[in-house]
Amino acid sequence: MSHLVHLTVLLLVGLLCLGATSAKPHEEINRDHAAELANECKAETGATDEDVEQLMSHDLPERHEAKCLRACVMKKLQIMDESGKLNKEHAIELVKAMTKHDAEKEDAPAEVVAKCEAIETPEDHCDAAFAYEECIYEQMKEHGLELEEH
C-alpha cells in the first residue's frame, strides 16, 4: 500500500474517530458509519457509487468528485472549515489520533498542522482537501512521527 493510500485510510479513520467523539460520543466507529458519511456527502458532491466505493476501499481519488467526497467528510467533521481552511484544533487532534504517542515529540502534531495550515492551497475546496492530506503526510514524515496502525 502506498504511503498516500495509507494516509488516506488513516485520515478517514481519524476523521471518523473525531466525528464520533464530537458529534456522537456513544456511536462505535465502523465501516457502516464511514459508508453512511460518504453516502451523505455523495448527494452533496455529485459523487458516484464508484467514488464512494473507492473511498471505502481506501483508493486514491481518480475523479474530482471523489476529492470532493473527502472534502465533504472533512467539513462535516470540522477538520476543514467552510472557507476551505484547516481547523487547527481539530487537525492537531487528527494528527495525534493518526500517530503513535511519543513523549519526546509532543509538540510535533501542532508543528505539522502549523506548516500545513500555512501552505498555499487551491481555491477549490476539493483540491485543497487533497493538498492538506499530502502536506500532513509529508510533515509527519519530516517530524519523524510514526503512523498508528488501525
Side-chain angles (χ1 to χ4, degrees):
M1 182 180 321
S2 81
H3 291 299
L4 198 51
V5 171
H6 190 65
L7 178 64
T8 301
V9 171
L10 290 173
L11 183 62
L12 182 60
V13 168
L15 290 173
L16 293 175
C17 289
L18 285 176
T21 53
S22 62
K24 301 174 183 174
H26 302 296
E27 186 169 348
E28 188 178 331
I29 301 306
N30 56 37
R31 188 174 173 82
D32 291 340
H33 184 61
E36 181 184 315
L37 280 175
N39 280 313
E40 280 178 27
C41 287
K42 183 178 102 169
E44 294 176 32
T45 60
T48 64
D49 288 339
E50 289 77 25
D51 294 327
V52 172
E53 180 78 23
Q54 196 177 51
L55 176 69
M56 296 306 296
S57 31
H58 314 300
D59 293 329
L60 289 177
E62 290 176 12
R63 297 171 358 103
H64 186 70
E65 291 83 357
K67 289 180 183 178
C68 294
L69 194 59
R70 285 166 167 80
C72 174
V73 172
M74 289 176 79
K75 284 181 180 180
K76 281 186 180 290
L77 297 172
Q78 300 173 348
I79 299 300
M80 178 187 272
D81 66 24
E82 289 306 313
S83 65
K85 299 296 179 196
L86 277 184
N87 174 310
K88 189 174 186 172
E89 182 184 331
H90 289 183
I92 290 170
E93 290 306 311
L94 171 68
V95 173
K96 286 180 181 177
M98 287 170 45
T99 56
K100 295 178 181 173
H101 179 73
D102 184 341
E104 292 178 17
K105 297 176 182 164
E106 198 131 331
D107 295 334
E111 292 167 8
V112 165
V113 172
K115 285 272 191 186
C116 295
E117 191 179 33
I119 66 170
E120 289 280 329
T121 54
E123 281 188 36
D124 183 291
H125 293 188
C126 307
D127 291 331
F130 190 65
Y132 285 131
E133 188 176 328
E134 288 182 305
C135 177
I136 288 169
Y137 170 69
E138 287 303 321
Q139 287 300 314
M140 283 170 44
K141 199 168 149 186
E142 269 189 38
H143 283 80
L145 293 174
E146 289 185 51
L147 295 175
E148 187 69 75
E149 298 295 329
H150 286 276

